[in-house]
Amino acid sequence: MTQPQQTKISPIERVGFIGLGAMGEPMARSLLRAGFHVVACVHRSRSAVERLVAERGSSGSFSEEPNPAAVARRTDAVIVCVPDAPQVEDALFGRDGASEGLGGDGAGIVVDMSTISPIASQSFAKRLNEGGFAFVDAPVSGGPARASTGDLTIMTGASDDDFARVEPLLRAMGTPFHLGGVGMGETVKLVNQIIISSVMIADCEALAFAKRAGANLDQVRKVLATATASNYVLESWLPKMALAGTFEGGFALDLLRKDLAASLDAARTMKLPMPLSGLAYQLYTARSGEGDGALDYSAIAKSYESHGRE
Amino acid sequence: MTQPQQTKISPIERVGFIGLGAMGEPMARSLLRAGFHVVACVHRSRSAVERLVAERGSSGSFSEEPNPAAVARRTDAVIVCVPDAPQVEDALFGRDGASEGLGGDGAGIVVDMSTISPIASQSFAKRLNEGGFAFVDAPVSGGPARASTGDLTIMTGASDDDFARVEPLLRAMGTPFHLGGVGMGETVKLVNQIIISSVMIADCEALAFAKRAGANLDQVRKVLATATASNYVLESWLPKMALAGTFEGGFALDLLRKDLAASLDAARTMKLPMPLSGLAYQLYTARSGEGDGALDYSAIAKSYESHGRE
């Protein structure tokens, strides 16, 4: 079934990129900066494409193709960075999907950097393997800020050979960790999401308590950074979002709800109770029901604002 | 009501210490190391006293008195470091309590380093002020490990003058932050406890998920330390406790339950809902009901252990 290994040895120079969203655009820019030739799929966000076209001369090059199949035909590896499993499936196996173009000029490897269920990753890997192609799951942590600086944490599930092939590509966007076979990148990403979803709520709950008790929030954050409560969300995320009075440009609350749902679904099959994550899911869902699903997930702070007024 | 300020100007040299427990003993040792003369109250833990007596020659000196009143008579400031408000009240206002000995040779200042409700702190301060004595609340974060190295975070509520007087004393034990008037140290300490109680559960829930999904926990922790989930409990507390297979010598789960109860009570009067802390309280209470209240609060990990077995 698998193609001879020697057809895959040449280093990756031309990279397809499907999904130039809030994360994909800065990640594609990191690849350009590192000298890769990036071929994007015609994207509904014309502004992202135009920004990347404007920068194409910097060191790498940038071009467009009309669909994922055409992108795959022109490249050595195809990165997918979309919201959820149905969009990954469509990009790979839909009409004019990448799987139709793999193995032409390209070397037939897909790197899925979306956050989806590890079970879905393994099923996509199986379908591609049957066609003789490789699949790597490589979801990221760090948000748009660390995507822009090429400083993402990249959690990778892949065979040793496949990891070695895509590592230079991943290094252009951040620090890749090889965590096991296909699906293990997504598993560890969900572990990250389980933690951040409750940490964000705990931080917001605690800051609401501090504010209502008359404490100076800047001082509180400074003290807590040296205490046992110290956490990245409090020190680095909230100051750019809720504490700066904005919820734009972070990580959409509805995407976190999707990740929590995938975690709770996986926990269900493992018969593992996750009471804190279950409550976090409900609290974010209530916030989304108020119309805030597209805001950064620190918008959960709004749930603590209006209480206690006489 | 207040005594003339000039009687209080001389620097503190002799320090009373009431409460040589898991935190108090290493904190008293830090004072000895810094050259203070420590006078302890005869303590039910003879072993702590004997260890401190053995070290009395190092730089400071160590002696004992039979009750808090006698301690107060022999010292310039009295530190109290006990489990909860009733014990503080007993140490200060009970039979032979410190308030009976304050203002003799001493300069009449009490530094309460216990974690108690800010409302209780303010009431103790009021009673002492009426006798012409000063009160400072200065609860700490860092656990026995950072108490031993004199590296605690100290959250202080005090008048400017009182903070200036006790600052050299506090610096011997860690880094003091002056956060406002009496009660504000305890308020910010509760903010810390609100966060750590949920962060600990989120970490344990996520690690249980990772373990059941077959991930390597050491690798997971290493990756998450670079990701948005990064937090002190995961990186520094759990490796010494639950992940090292022990629950001894940390922070007792029942003491965290007491702090959460104080937080939820304060939130009740502020009409602030704290759904995540409410659930955390219930989960710790269930674990305490299993007989684990005296263990480090990472014992909550045990609640995730037995599930999912066929």
Side-chain angles (χ1 to χ4, degrees):
Chain A
M1 284 283 196
T2 312
Q3 288 188 326
Q5 199 58 30
Q6 57 268 33
T7 68
K8 299 189 175 185
I9 291 175
S10 59
I12 292 165
E13 292 175 359
R14 297 163 300 163
V15 184
F17 209 109
I18 296 169
L20 297 175
M23 294 297 288
E25 182 189 345
M27 288 159 70
R29 189 170 287 117
S30 294
L31 291 169
L32 285 172
R33 255 200 315 261
F36 287 98
H37 304 283
V38 176
V39 180
C41 192
V42 170
H43 191 262
R44 62 198 159 98
S45 165
R46 291 306 308 164
S47 56
V49 170
E50 280 156 21
R51 282 191 293 269
L52 289 167
V53 166
E55 292 167 48
R56 78 169 92 187
S58 58
S59 53
S61 73
F62 182 82
S63 62
E64 273 187 283
E65 291 293 337
N67 57 55
V71 167
R73 266 180 221 111
R74 302 286 302 275
T75 53
D76 307 318
V78 177
I79 291 175
V80 181
C81 188
V82 294
D84 201 357
Q87 291 86 352
V88 177
E89 183 166 26
D90 191 54
L92 297 182
F93 306 107
R95 181 185 154 89
D96 294 324
S99 63
E100 292 179 21
L102 288 168
D105 287 357
I109 189 162
V110 167
V111 183
D112 182 20
M113 305 189 75
S114 321
T115 296
I116 65 172
S117 143
I119 298 154
S121 295
Q122 285 161 344
S123 111
F124 296 148
K126 187 162 177 286
R127 286 165 76 177
L128 286 173
N129 293 164
E130 282 166 5
F133 311 120
F135 180 93
V136 169
D137 55 309
V140 303
S141 173
R146 288 171 58 195
S148 297
T149 54
D151 187 34
L152 292 167
T153 295
I154 306 175
M155 304 165 213
T156 317
S159 71
D160 289 347
D161 284 350
D162 290 341
F163 182 76
R165 270 182 76 205
V166 300
E167 195 178 355
L169 197 63
L170 300 179
R171 289 223 173 268
M173 296 177 277
T175 305
F177 293 86
H178 187 200
L179 298 164
V182 168
M184 200 48 89
E186 297 293 356
T187 294
V188 177
K189 174 66 191 278
L190 292 185
V191 172
N192 184 77
Q193 304 305 79
I194 289 167
I195 293 175
I196 66 169
S197 61
S198 285
V199 169
M200 175 62 84
I201 300 177
D203 287 344
C204 289
E205 201 158 294
L207 290 178
F209 181 94
K211 189 177 175 186
R212 294 299 310 284
N216 175 319
L217 293 196
D218 285 340
Q219 220 176 5
V220 168
R221 279 199 308 111
K222 192 179 153 202
V223 176
L224 295 186
T226 77
T228 309
S230 167
N231 67 78
Y232 180 87
V233 170
L234 182 64
E235 282 139 43
S236 299
W237 198 282
L238 278 165
K240 290 183 200 136
M241 293 287 152
L243 290 172
T246 182
F247 302 109
E248 304 296 328
F251 177 54
L253 191 148
D254 274 348
L255 289 179
L256 183 63
R257 288 206 308 124
K258 169 208 62 144
D259 297 346
L260 271 176
S263 306
L264 290 165
D265 196 47
R268 180 178 58 78
T269 67
M270 299 192 290
K271 297 185 186 173
L272 179 75
M274 300 215 296
L276 211 65
S277 303
L279 176 58
Y281 178 80
Q282 298 301 334
L283 294 171
Y284 286 114
T285 298
R287 191 77 249 143
S288 184
E290 297 288 328
D292 292 340
L295 301 183
D296 179 65
Y297 70 121
S298 65
I300 196 71
K302 294 169 75 176
S303 300
Y304 295 93
E305 264 170 15
S306 57
H307 295 283
R309 310 269 174 253
E310 291 302 321
Chain B
M1 284 283 196
T2 313
Q3 287 189 328
Q5 200 58 28
Q6 57 268 31
T7 68
K8 298 190 176 181
I9 290 174
S10 59
I12 292 165
E13 293 175 358
R14 298 163 300 163
V15 183
F17 209 109
I18 297 167
L20 296 176
M23 294 297 289
E25 183 188 346
M27 287 159 70
R29 190 170 287 117
S30 295
L31 290 169
L32 284 172
R33 254 199 316 260
F36 286 98
H37 303 285
V38 176
V39 180
C41 192
V42 170
H43 191 261
R44 61 198 158 99
S45 165
R46 290 307 307 162
S47 55
V49 170
E50 280 156 21
R51 282 190 293 268
L52 289 167
V53 165
E55 291 166 50
R56 78 170 91 188
S58 57
S59 53
S61 74
F62 182 84
S63 61
E64 273 186 285
E65 291 293 337
N67 56 54
V71 168
R73 265 179 222 112
R74 302 283 303 275
T75 53
D76 308 317
V78 177
I79 291 176
V80 181
C81 188
V82 294
D84 201 357
Q87 290 86 352
V88 176
E89 183 166 26
D90 192 53
L92 297 182
F93 307 107
R95 182 185 155 89
D96 294 324
S99 61
E100 292 179 21
L102 287 170
D105 288 357
I109 189 162
V110 167
V111 183
D112 181 20
M113 305 189 77
S114 321
T115 296
I116 65 173
S117 144
I119 298 154
S121 296
Q122 285 162 345
S123 109
F124 296 147
K126 187 162 178 284
R127 288 166 73 179
L128 287 173
N129 292 164
E130 283 166 4
F133 310 123
F135 179 92
V136 169
D137 55 309
V140 303
S141 173
R146 289 172 57 194
S148 296
T149 54
D151 186 34
L152 292 167
T153 295
I154 305 174
M155 304 166 214
T156 317
S159 70
D160 289 347
D161 283 351
D162 290 340
F163 181 75
R165 271 181 76 205
V166 300
E167 195 178 355
L169 197 64
L170 300 179
R171 289 224 173 268
M173 296 177 276
T175 306
F177 292 86
H178 187 201
L179 298 164
V182 167
M184 199 49 87
E186 298 292 356
T187 294
V188 177
K189 174 67 190 277
L190 292 185
V191 171
N192 184 77
Q193 304 306 77
I194 289 167
I195 293 176
I196 67 169
S197 61
S198 285
V199 168
M200 176 61 85
I201 300 176
D203 287 344
C204 289
E205 200 159 295
L207 289 178
F209 180 95
K211 189 177 176 186
R212 294 297 310 283
N216 175 317
L217 293 196
D218 286 340
Q219 221 176 4
V220 167
R221 279 199 309 111
K222 193 179 151 202
V223 176
L224 295 186
T226 77
T228 309
S230 166
N231 66 79
Y232 180 87
V233 170
L234 182 65
E235 281 138 45
S236 300
W237 198 282
L238 279 164
K240 290 183 199 135
M241 292 287 152
L243 289 173
T246 182
F247 301 108
E248 304 296 328
F251 177 55
L253 191 147
D254 274 348
L255 289 179
L256 183 63
R257 289 204 310 124
K258 168 209 63 142
D259 297 347
L260 271 176
S263 307
L264 290 165
D265 195 47
R268 179 177 60 76
T269 68
M270 300 193 290
K271 297 185 186 171
L272 179 73
M274 300 214 295
L276 210 65
S277 302
L279 177 58
Y281 178 79
Q282 298 301 333
L283 294 171
Y284 286 114
T285 298
R287 183 90 321 256
S288 184
E290 298 288 329
D292 291 340
L295 301 183
D296 178 64
Y297 70 121
S298 65
I300 196 71
K302 293 169 75 174
S303 299
Y304 295 93
E305 265 170 14
S306 57
H307 294 283
R309 311 265 175 258
E310 292 301 320

